[in-house]
Amino acid sequence: MPTYTAPVKDMQFVLHEVLEITGSGIPGYDELDRDFTAAILGEAGKLAENVLAPLNTVGDEEGCKLENGVVRTPKGFKEAYDQMREGGWIGLDCDPDFGGQGMPYLLNSAVGEMFVSANMAFNMYQGLSHGAYNAIHTHGSDAQKQTYLPKMVEGSWSGTMNLTEPHCGTDLGLIRTKAEPQDDGTYRITGQKIWISAGEHDLTDNIIHLVLAKIPGGPEGVKGISLFIVPKFLVNEDGSLGERNSLSCGGLEKKMGIHGNATCVMNYDGATGFLIGEMHKGMRAMFTMMNEARLGVGLQGYAQGVVAYQNALGFAQERLQGRAVTGVESPDKPADPIIVHPDVRRNLLHQKSFVEGARAFTFWGASLIDRAHRNEDAEAEAMISLLTPVLKGFLTDKGFETTVLAQQTLGGSGFTKEWGLEQFVRDARITMIYEGTNGIQSLDLVGRKLGLNGGKTVMAFFELVKAFIKENEDRADLKANFLDPLKEASKDLQAAAMYFMQNMKNPNAALAGSYDFMHLFGHVCLGLMWARMAKAAMTGLDGGEGDADFYRTKIATGRYYMARQLPATKLHLARITSGSDSVMELEAANF
């Protein structure tokens, strides 16, 4: 049976010594002192370790069941959800006007990592609700907010997003779901949606579906899409639940992983819907959900890597096999633990250096969201927009890779259900697919985000890296092991961006290199994070008051990343600059 330990100490290091949140100038961050964040993270960690993690295997083995139109979640899920709801965790960063606690998104992200590592399938129920809450909070009318948000923040109602249809996925302009206007201002929603996470379940009294549909007579393609609130149960004027709406779960998907989450086919048969936002402007409102969801999925990717690494490390420290090549290290035992072997250490360091770098990258991204919203900072908004496809695509690709490496650490044991690693692999795999496949993320990065604000945003990123290097290059140990490698990697990223700009007349050249660019960008971001963490750890050692072993471990882990993972930027640059000829040469019929 796998285990999970909440990494509160490492989170505290990132929050207070790397990001230095209390002095960041973001409203509300000044209240996030060490004692306060330790209390929040500590309680969330207990919930993750003691309640959610033990249900992870249960959810995987039992799955969800559709019985007479009702989805039954796995044993223990309802009780765990009630405990999470009663603790106020669902509304942690939601608007106090609707019952939320008003905490920063950054703190919600840190808590979310623990919940995802402990039980990803379970956490998806509240994760989807959070996205629906944000869409209604941003684009809904005052009446809609008052009707739905208090119950959603409380957790007694949940939410979903309904985009995909059987005949179309990414190309939403092809959707067929109709919304026919009625005399009372409502709409009759008719159509079928597929792959709807948490579309039907027994955890809440009501489910608030946000559904993309087309009003007859509107513009063609995505310009004719509107967004509608379609509740499972209609809501009376006094806030009580009314009659059941004309919608149903038509089936549950049989999936590779996340068995504990209900992935539904949703049928809408003239269901009553309420327009949210402007007519034919549904994509604008839906992307409020999508952008947050993509950041959340990036977090899911590395969070599965976190728990997989923890279990791989525990195995490597206990499994006895062979002797160290430099001499016996455990003479009182029949063999040495496998962690003495260089290749096992390489494997573990690959995992450790990624998940710790990814945590810092994600927390930085979350702080940019807070800065954009709380400070109304347009530059922060642009920066997180640029980084979103990198956070989603790179962190989920590498997060899945990390679960596979963790599984490999266990050898044959990793292939069996008993040890739990194979579930982490299966669960992590979806993160590379949903909320826009990673190929789509790379196209978004190169096709749209690279040219954001006329290229000023990506140039601002380059300047950010350059400024950090210049400010800290007087420290020789930091310069040699962190700043110089970061400078080289940043040059590779700039060269790749320049290549795209010089080949704008050949779109195939840019798009053929987009996936490599996303990974190149991701490595530079993690390189920057490791340089910042190394600086903070060196400062901690100089101060002599913190945990010296923790700081030395952090620096050593960062050196591994800079020496063994960051040089991948040169491989990605070589692929990008090879152009599209080798990619496009083969005729489709000859594949």
Side-chain angles (χ1 to χ4, degrees), residues 323-562:
R323 292 294 190 184
V325 294
T326 55
V328 175
E329 294 205 8
S330 300
D332 59 328
K333 297 177 181 178
D336 290 330
I338 64 172
I339 198 169
V340 305
H341 304 305
D343 189 60
V344 173
R345 290 195 174 208
R346 172 203 59 78
N347 190 339
L348 291 170
L349 274 168
H350 209 81
Q351 299 168 51
K352 179 178 174 63
S353 64
F354 166 72
V355 297
E356 293 181 11
R359 175 177 296 123
F361 184 24
T362 301
F363 285 15
W364 177 48
S367 73
L368 286 172
I369 291 176
D370 282 330
R371 185 177 296 280
H373 294 168
R374 292 174 174 242
N375 294 68
E376 297 183 354
D377 189 325
E379 292 182 0
E381 182 74 44
M383 184 62 72
I384 192 58
S385 182
L386 169 69
L387 296 176
T388 293
V390 184
L391 282 157
K392 195 282 184 184
F394 181 71
L395 295 190
T396 58
D397 274 355
K398 290 298 183 181
F400 173 73
E401 177 185 304
T402 299
T403 64
V404 174
L405 289 171
Q407 183 187 39
Q408 188 73 15
T409 309
L410 274 68
S413 297
F415 200 65
T416 65
K417 284 186 172 292
E418 176 186 358
W419 292 86
L421 272 295
E422 58 86 33
Q423 182 189 345
F424 300 139
V425 173
R426 288 186 288 105
D427 286 354
R429 186 63 182 88
I430 186 58
T431 65
M432 303 160 70
I433 298 172
Y434 60 15
E435 306 306 341
T437 64
N438 287 356
I440 293 297
Q441 303 304 317
S442 72
L443 298 183
D444 177 48
L445 176 63
V446 172
R448 296 177 64 242
K449 302 299 175 60
L450 193 57
L452 195 65
N453 296 324
K456 291 181 180 179
T457 304
V458 73
M459 291 303 297
F461 176 83
F462 294 145
E463 286 302 313
L464 185 153
V465 174
K466 183 179 179 181
F468 179 83
I469 293 171
K470 187 174 182 180
E471 289 168 6
N472 297 285
E473 59 187 359
D474 59 336
R475 183 153 191 166
D477 49 356
L478 186 66
K479 182 178 186 300
N481 294 302
F482 292 91
L483 301 184
D484 288 348
L486 176 59
K487 182 184 292 186
E488 283 300 308
S490 181
K491 288 180 179 178
D492 291 338
L493 184 62
Q494 293 177 63
M498 183 61 67
Y499 173 82
F500 292 144
M501 293 178 63
Q502 293 172 343
N503 288 272
M504 291 180 63
K505 294 183 179 180
N506 180 9
N508 281 339
L511 300 186
S514 62
Y515 211 94
D516 281 285
F517 186 74
M518 181 178 71
H519 273 247
L520 200 168
F521 209 144
H523 277 298
V524 172
C525 288
L526 260 64
L528 175 61
M529 293 301 104
W530 271 115
R532 293 179 67 179
M533 286 191 286
K535 176 187 175 182
M538 291 174 183
T539 301
L541 282 174
D542 292 343
E545 296 180 358
D547 185 336
D549 283 342
F550 175 88
Y551 292 136
R552 282 193 286 266
T553 298
K554 185 65 67 175
I555 294 167
T557 305
R559 281 201 297 264
Y560 176 88
Y561 191 90
M562 306 306 276

Side-chain angles (χ1 to χ4, degrees), residues 67-267:
E67 299 174 350
N68 300 320
V70 177
V71 171
R72 305 297 181 189
T73 53
K75 182 174 62 179
F77 271 44
K78 180 67 166 68
E79 292 77 10
Y81 183 86
D82 288 345
Q83 191 169 339
M84 180 171 285
R85 178 175 56 80
E86 291 164 4
W89 296 106
I90 292 174
L92 186 65
D93 69 331
C94 295
D95 191 338
D97 288 344
F98 302 103
Q101 297 186 46
M103 293 291 106
Y105 180 72
L106 171 59
L107 194 59
N108 190 66
S109 297
V111 168
E113 181 200 310
M114 292 188 275
F115 292 165
V116 170
S117 289
N119 195 325
M120 176 174 157
F122 175 88
N123 193 66
M124 288 173 64
Y125 290 101
Q126 68 163 4
L128 271 296
S129 294
H130 197 278
Y133 155 85
N134 269 341
I136 296 173
H137 188 268
T138 303
H139 301 282
S141 66
D142 289 341
Q144 288 171 338
K145 293 177 186 179
Q146 292 297 333
T147 298
Y148 300 105
L149 294 189
K151 292 290 188 180
M152 294 177 73
V153 170
E154 178 185 82
S156 55
W157 295 357
S158 59
T160 71
M161 53 195 296
N162 286 234
L163 290 77
T164 308
E165 300 184 6
H167 62 283
C168 70
T170 301
D171 191 354
L172 291 173
L174 299 176
I175 67 170
R176 298 171 183 163
T177 300
K178 291 183 179 180
E180 299 176 314
Q182 305 298 297
D183 293 339
D184 61 359
T186 64
Y187 292 79
R188 289 176 60 84
I189 310 298
T190 303
Q192 185 178 78
K193 299 290 184 176
I194 62 171
W195 304 337
I196 308 306
S197 298
E200 170 61 33
H201 55 79
D202 57 1
L203 302 181
T204 59
D205 298 330
N206 202 5
I207 303 175
I208 312 305
H209 300 286
L210 296 192
V211 183
L212 288 182
K214 289 185 175 181
I215 300 172
E220 293 295 320
V222 295
K223 294 182 178 180
I225 294 176
S226 300
L227 183 64
F228 300 87
I229 297 173
V230 189
K232 176 180 176 179
F233 290 97
L234 297 175
V235 182
N236 297 321
E237 289 188 7
D238 63 359
S240 63
L241 295 183
E243 64 183 25
R244 172 73 183 253
N245 212 345
S246 300
L247 58 91
S248 62
C249 174
L252 293 177
E253 300 291 350
K254 296 180 180 179
K255 304 166 295 186
M256 175 180 178
I258 55 169
H259 296 158
N261 193 267
T263 306
C264 303
V265 175
M266 296 300 300
N267 296 319

Side-chain angles (χ1 to χ4, degrees), residues 54-71:
L55 292 175
N56 197 38
T57 301
V58 174
D60 185 59
E61 294 179 348
E62 288 189 12
C64 297
K65 296 178 176 62
L66 179 61
E67 299 174 350
N68 300 320
V70 177
V71 171

